[in-house]
Every structure is written in structure tokens, then in C-alpha cells.
Amino acid sequence: GAVVSQHPSRVICKSGTSVKIECRSLDFQATTMFWYRQFPKQSLMLMATSNEGSKATYEQGVEKDKFLINHASLTLSTLTVTSAHPEDSSFYICSAKPAGNTIYFGEGSWLTVV
Amino acid sequence: TQLLEQSPQFLSIQEGENLTVYCNSSSVFSSLQWYRQEPGEGPVLLVTVVTGGEVKKLKRLTFQFGDARKDSSLHITAAQPGDTGLYLCAGGPGSARQLTFGSGTQLTVLP
């Protein structure tokens, strides 16, 4: 089946630095990928829709200058958390959808800002 | 904005008991998915229902899509500790091919 992979699975960074998370579709092309944020035992919150070759669409309340999304190819989207702060610590998940109705999720990336 | 409310939010039961999780909305969805997620992992798709009134069974799990395609339920028979996890319903995909996620139900099955 279709596979979506995220890297890194866990990252710790210092407050004020930036960190990049990658989301790759391994066996299909994805013109659109989605980035979610999740707090422990809570549901997924859609942050933005990543569009290949164009600007990402951000959900209301999500700072586009803080959460930079780049979708430079049909198999890769990146989320960069800029000037990270402890409150940005969270579980970040991406998803992508090949042809058909099934949406596949990455394994998620734990970000801890110290 | 389409919203999906799940109930209960938290559920702790003994092994062998039955349980039902509900997913309700005021909006109509073209399809509805149920996911199970374990800590530190991405959600794993359990089932997709697309037809109003549809019932699907996956071993001890029974999924039902409401006739009006606004609600769904997940029933687990004889729950086992391995069923522990966060259960998420999700409606769509919508025009942007994104999913609208429910609020989630954290299930704990005690041995």
C-alpha cells in the first residue's frame, strides 16, 4: 500500500532555533499534502495544506511566517518551525492522498523545544 | 466549517466488555473514516464507509454510517487490551481533499 514517511521521528532543539520536518510519499506522487499538529490524547488539528509548486494554504490562527511549508516536488513537503519556542513542542503529522479516497498518514514527528 | 463531535471523550473498561463510540455532525459527509492511533505514531485507517446506512465489520469491530451520512458509530465486542488507543473519526475528503477529524475517543482496556 501507499506509504508516507516523516523524518525525523523525534527532534529536540533549543529555543530560538529553527527545525525542519520532512514528509515524503514513497510510492506515489502527491500534489497535495496536509500538515497536522496534535497534543497528547487529543485529535489532529489541521495546520495547513501544502500544494506542490505553489503557496501553502494555512488554517485560521496558524502563523505562516512561523510554520514555513515548502512543497518543492511531487513527493516531498517540508515544515520548518522557525524561532521555535517551548509552546511549539508537539507531535506533527503529515498526510497525503494518492488516486482514490484513502488518505495515508506519516508516522509523525515529535518536536521538543528546550 | 464542518465539525465532528465524538463521544465519549475518554473510556476506560475491563477486558471482555463491549463499547460503542459515537461520531456526530450537523453536516453531511461524502465518506467517513475511522482511525486508530497509538502514542507516538500516525493514525492507522480501520475502515471507510461511504453509503448511508452502511455497516462494515472488521473482526470484533462493527462500523455503521448513519442513513443521512451525518453520523457514525464504532462498536467493539469483547474488548481486549490491544484495542487501547485513540480512536478518531474523520469525514470527507472535502473539496480540498482534506479530512475533518472528530474530537477523538481515548479508549483504555484494562486486563
Side-chain angles (χ1 to χ4, degrees), chain B residues 26-50:
Chain B
S26 58
S27 302
V28 175
F29 289 95
S30 58
S31 65
L32 201 137
Q33 291 82 39
W34 283 94
Y35 293 83
R36 178 169 161 266
Q37 184 184 22
E38 297 194 28
E41 299 180 10
V44 174
L45 180 65
L46 297 174
V47 77
T48 299
V49 286
V50 296

Side-chain angles (χ1 to χ4, degrees), chain A residues 10 30-32 34 36 38 41-44 46 49 59 91 93 97-98 101-108 110, chain B residues 6 9-10 31 33 35 37 39-43 45 48 50 86 88 93 96-99 101-104 106:
Chain A
R10 291 181 177 271
T31 55
T32 304
F34 303 96
Y36 298 85
Q38 185 179 34
K41 297 187 178 182
Q42 294 187 23
S43 188
L44 281 69
L46 180 66
T49 302
E59 294 300 299
F91 192 52
I93 307 175
K97 179 178 175 294
N101 288 325
T102 301
I103 294 179
Y104 294 91
F105 287 85
E107 312 96 324
W110 279 107
Chain B
Q6 280 184 242
Q9 186 178 359
F10 296 97
S31 65
Q33 291 82 39
Y35 293 83
Q37 184 184 22
E41 299 180 10
L45 180 65
T48 299
V50 296
L86 179 67
L88 297 162
R97 298 187 294 158
Q98 68 193 48
L99 291 174
F101 276 92
S103 43
Q106 180 64 48

